[in-house]
């Protein structure tokens, strides 16, 4: 069974991966590797996932106290 600490660590790793993905999308758009529509779709999806993970992270921290 996962402990609260293990859940937090997993969520934090997922957050870090999504932050890297967001930065890579920005770089690809700047370089012209992605058209505007594809960028917007992928960026919005990434931001939504990132917000969800951050909210889960806050909830896990709050309820693990």
């Amino acid at each position: 069974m996962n402990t609260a600490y293990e859940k937090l660590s997993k969520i934090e790793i997922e957050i870090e991966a999504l932050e890297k993905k967001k930065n890579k999308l920005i770089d690809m758009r700047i370089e012209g590797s992605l058209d505007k529509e594809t960028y917007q779709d992928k960026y919005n999806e990434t931001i939504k996932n990132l917000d969800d993970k951050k909210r889960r992270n806050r909830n896990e921290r709050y309820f693990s106290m």
Side-chain angles (χ1 to χ4, degrees):
M1 180 170 217
N2 286 341
T3 65
Y5 178 77
E6 290 170 331
K7 286 181 185 178
L8 284 173
S9 293
K10 183 176 185 241
I11 294 170
E12 289 169 353
I13 290 168
E14 292 169 352
I15 289 170
E16 186 176 324
L18 286 167
E19 289 284 0
K20 287 179 183 178
K21 181 177 181 179
K22 179 186 78 169
N23 291 334
K24 185 174 181 178
L25 285 169
I26 293 168
D27 290 344
M28 290 174 72
R29 180 63 184 137
I30 290 169
E31 295 166 357
S33 303
L34 284 177
D35 62 272
K36 186 175 182 177
E37 186 176 331
T38 302
Y39 167 77
Q40 282 298 137
D41 290 344
K42 296 291 184 182
Y43 184 83
N44 290 338
E45 177 185 332
T46 302
I47 293 300
K48 181 186 178 304
N49 289 335
L50 191 55
D51 288 344
D52 290 344
K53 296 290 181 188
K54 286 180 177 180
R55 187 173 17 265
R56 265 185 61 201
N57 192 26
R58 282 191 305 273
N59 289 342
E60 288 291 332
R61 286 184 185 280
Y62 178 78
F63 291 114
S64 68
M65 291 182 179

